[in-house]
């Protein structure tokens, strides 16, 4: 497959890049920091002209994984009283508008059997007292994925809703709070980036050829 991964230098995006390459896929990485992709482009998902330029240069694409996301420790633990409307909009722009921008930019390169995967999270379904702006944006991504599945068929569009995956956010909380996140899950542990990447890869691959408009929950049972 020829796969494009946004957020290709991140914890989940970078893991997906390495997984796909290990299986013989040609991987195009897009992020502001260098990635391990076969070819990498430094591009912000809010820079539409940059995304279009990459799409034109890359050509045909079988899969588009939107693994980028707004990440700021300062927003993670702020309560409602200290959050502003702009805080919510900042995350929404990167996560939701950025994903929409990427889909539009690569749409001419996506054939009828192509697959698009948006990376959301369990709090986008059930809510959370942590990272409220992130939960709001991830909920919107789920709605975007389902809408695009209807609008872009036969191109397949799905989302993954990830639970507590062991990436950089774990350094933003105390050991006691990490224990709380573990206790929320039925499996009583955090997920590994490799487990998230495998789920995304399955939705990108022909193995999921009859799956579209679906939200694949990968959360160790957190949302039960």
């Amino acid at each position: 497959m020829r796969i494009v991964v946004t957020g290709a230098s991140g914890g989940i995006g970078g893991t997906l890049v390495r997984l796909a390459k290990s299986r013989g896929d040609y991987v195009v990485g897009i992020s502001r920091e260098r990635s391990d992709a076969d070819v990498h482009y430094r591009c912000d998902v809010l820079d539409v002209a940059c995304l279009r330029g990459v799409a034109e240069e890359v050509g045909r694409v079988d899969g588009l994984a939107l693994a980028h996301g707004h990440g700021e420790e300062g927003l993670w633990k702020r309560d409602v009283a200290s959050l502003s409307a702009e805080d919510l909009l900042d995350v929404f722009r990167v996560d939701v508008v950025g994903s929409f921008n990427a889909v539009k930019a690569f749409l001419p390169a996506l054939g009828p059997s192509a697959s698009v995967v948006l990376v959301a999270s369990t709090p986008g379904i059930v809510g959370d007292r942590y990272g409220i702006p992130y939960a709001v944006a991830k909920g919107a991504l789920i709605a975007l994925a389902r809408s695009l599945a209807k609008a872009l068929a036969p191109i397949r569009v799905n989302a993954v809703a990830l639970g507590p995956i062991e990436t950089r956010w774990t350094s933003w909380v105390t050991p006691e709070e990490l224990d709380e996140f573990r206790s929320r899950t039925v499996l009583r542990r955090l997920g590994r980036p490799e487990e998230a990447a495998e789920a995304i890869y399955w939705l990108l691959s022909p193995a999921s050829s009859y799956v579209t408009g679906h939200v694949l929950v990968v959360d160790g049972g957190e949302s039960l």
Side-chain angles (χ1 to χ4, degrees):
M1 294 189 296
R2 290 172 60 87
I3 297 173
V4 175
V5 180
T6 65
S9 61
I12 292 170
T15 303
L16 176 61
V17 166
R18 292 184 289 275
L19 171 66
K21 286 181 63 178
S22 75
R23 294 179 181 171
D25 299 311
Y26 181 80
V27 185
V28 176
I30 298 176
S31 59
R32 291 179 293 182
E33 303 295 331
R34 185 72 187 172
S35 75
D36 295 325
D38 292 294
V39 60
H40 182 85
Y41 294 89
R42 294 181 185 274
C43 205
D44 191 302
V45 291
L46 296 180
D47 187 341
V48 177
C50 184
L51 291 172
R52 286 177 178 164
V54 172
E56 290 172 4
E57 188 169 325
V58 168
R60 179 188 61 81
V61 171
D62 301 306
L64 176 60
L66 305 174
H68 65 275
H70 189 293
E72 184 183 328
E73 180 179 359
L75 292 180
W76 184 254
K77 296 174 72 173
R78 287 170 60 180
D79 60 17
V80 174
S82 61
L83 286 168
S84 69
E86 194 60 32
D87 292 330
L88 271 70
L89 290 172
D90 281 346
V91 180
F92 189 93
R93 288 186 191 101
V94 174
D95 287 30
V96 184
V97 177
S99 294
F100 183 74
N101 288 345
V103 171
K104 283 203 66 175
F106 281 93
L107 191 56
L110 296 171
S113 62
S115 174
V116 178
V117 181
L118 286 73
V119 178
S121 68
T122 302
I125 301 172
V126 299
D128 203 338
R129 63 186 180 88
Y130 291 95
I132 292 173
Y134 303 111
V136 170
K138 297 306 186 184
L141 277 176
I142 289 170
L144 178 61
R146 286 173 168 156
S147 297
L148 291 177
K150 294 183 176 183
L152 301 183
I155 294 171
R156 297 186 299 112
V157 185
N158 294 286
V160 292
L162 302 177
I165 305 297
E166 200 167 1
T167 54
R168 64 173 180 163
W169 68 272
T170 59
S171 67
W172 300 347
V173 299
T174 66
E176 293 75 21
E177 287 170 322
L178 273 182
D179 285 340
E180 179 189 341
F181 279 103
R182 293 186 186 97
S183 69
R184 291 183 185 185
T185 71
V186 173
L187 298 182
R188 296 295 186 266
R189 66 175 178 86
L190 302 181
R192 299 186 302 274
E194 293 80 7
E195 292 171 312
E198 286 282 5
I200 298 168
Y201 188 85
W202 181 74
L203 288 172
L204 288 172
S205 77
S208 60
S209 58
Y210 200 52
V211 180
T212 194
H214 182 64
V215 181
L216 178 59
V217 178
V218 184
D219 70 351
E222 179 186 33
S223 57
L224 291 177

